Amino acid sequence: MKPKVGFYELTGCAGEMLHILNMEDILIDVFSKIDLVEFRIASSVKRPERVDIAFVEGSVTTEENLEALKSIREKSDVLVAIGDCAVWGGIQASTTGEDWKTLMKEVYGVEENYFRFLGEHKSLSECVKVDYELPGCPIEQDEFVRLFIELLEGIEPKIKDYPVCVECKIKEIPCLIVEKREPCLGPISVGGCKARCPYYGTPCIGCRGPVREEANVAGEVSTLVEKGWRKEDIVKRMELFAKRYKDIEKLVEVKK
């Protein structure tokens, strides 16, 4: 019997699901190994039944999101958060700490809670137990396929826990901080992207989120301040994808 797999979306741009669909060369082969229960962006088929693996993208932003996530958790053996929104709350979580009524008025011209907004954009792990997290905005296709196959074959996936700097060293990319004084977030951002941005001379903006529990945020800030950058600008850059990371939250509190 093939394992049952579901793909679910909460609040986000659906970029992870589109990225998976864009794997045309291997998608049919990969999906031939499973019984697809739900993948709304690809099919109208929706079977509300228990699954072996649930892939969930998007942040937990509304009461509807929270109810849906709890239901998915209850009916899945393994739950995987895919993409920065699911892992860290996404760009929308950069509004954490701001008054939601003010935001509602600025965007929609009213203070009513039209969308049963929770008041902040949370990651999945803040709401339910998450078994694995695959970061990225969007995710890397090869990382998804490897994780997918490993789960199907009962292999314990190894999630990357080293910074982008490691991949810069491997590819012999000159350090953008040292050589060009650029505000690169590679030292605190989790690798797996093959240092794509630094390779093209663009400083990392941290779209894969911090290296969980190990990102030396204070050290990064200190280094960039020494290079001439203002602390408030560095913190603002870090907030874009990782405002809900504990050490960056502390910096924001100090800034206030």
Side-chain angles (χ1 to χ4, degrees):
M1 183 181 297
K2 295 180 180 178
K4 294 182 179 179
V5 178
F7 292 80
Y8 307 94
E9 302 154 33
L10 302 179
T11 293
C13 68
E16 319 311 332
M17 301 303 173
L18 284 172
H19 213 43
I20 292 170
L21 283 179
N22 282 337
M23 299 187 300
E24 296 97 342
D25 295 343
I26 61 171
L27 195 62
I28 293 178
D29 285 342
V30 171
F31 276 36
S32 67
K33 303 178 185 299
I34 63 170
D35 177 9
L36 189 60
V37 169
E38 180 173 334
F39 196 162
R40 190 174 57 180
I41 202 168
S43 170
S44 58
V45 174
K46 184 177 181 180
R47 291 153 45 198
E49 55 192 74
R50 188 166 188 80
V51 298
D52 296 287
I53 308 169
F55 291 96
V56 184
E57 76 156 15
S59 63
V60 186
T61 294
T62 66
E63 292 182 28
E64 181 183 11
N65 287 161
L66 184 58
E67 292 163 5
L69 178 61
K70 288 180 176 178
S71 175
I72 294 168
R73 177 68 276 185
E74 287 177 3
K75 69 180 184 182
S76 60
D77 292 338
V78 175
L79 190 151
V80 184
I82 56 173
D84 188 75
C85 293
V87 176
W88 290 108
I91 290 177
Q92 57 268 36
S94 64
T95 61
T96 297
E98 297 184 33
D99 179 56
W100 69 264
K101 289 184 178 179
T102 300
L103 294 174
M104 195 71 72
K105 192 163 187 175
E106 288 177 352
V107 177
Y108 299 104
V110 297
E111 292 186 354
E112 296 174 65
N113 194 346
Y114 279 160
F115 310 105
R116 299 172 68 199
F117 181 39
L118 293 173
E120 55 187 355
H121 307 270
K122 299 180 180 180
S123 66
L124 305 193
S125 63
E126 293 179 87
C127 304
V128 300
K129 176 180 177 292
V130 172
D131 299 295
Y132 302 102
E133 293 180 328
L134 194 60
C137 184
I139 56 174
E140 296 291 323
Q141 292 175 333
D142 61 335
E143 279 194 312
F144 168 76
V145 172
R146 183 168 55 250
L147 174 68
F148 190 82
I149 297 299
E150 287 176 341
L151 289 175
L152 293 182
E153 295 183 350
I155 300 171
E156 181 71 21
K158 291 183 179 179
I159 304 299
K160 293 184 174 65
D161 60 354
Y162 55 79
V164 174
C165 289
V166 171
E167 295 175 339
C168 275
K169 294 291 185 185
I170 292 172
K171 300 178 78 169
E172 299 183 344
I173 300 170
C175 178
L176 295 178
I177 296 176
V178 175
E179 302 291 335
K180 297 185 177 180
R181 294 178 177 267
E182 294 280 5
C184 183
L185 299 187
I188 63 169
S189 302
V190 67
C193 56
K194 305 174 186 65
R196 186 175 293 112
C197 293
Y199 179 79
Y200 288 106
T202 301
C204 170
I205 58 172
C207 72
R208 289 174 59 83
V211 182
R212 193 176 284 280
E213 307 300 335
E214 295 184 13
N216 185 357
V217 173
E220 171 82 5
V221 172
S222 176
T223 299
L224 292 180
V225 167
E226 289 178 5
K227 296 296 180 184
W229 290 89
R230 297 193 311 162
K231 183 177 179 180
E232 50 266 42
D233 292 335
I234 301 166
V235 173
K236 189 173 182 180
R237 189 174 181 85
M238 291 178 171
E239 289 176 358
L240 182 61
F241 284 100
K243 191 169 185 178
R244 297 183 79 80
Y245 182 61
K246 56 183 177 58
D247 289 348
I248 294 176
E249 282 184 326
K250 291 177 186 174
L251 286 175
V252 175
E253 288 301 316
V254 171
K255 189 178 70 174
K256 289 176 180 177

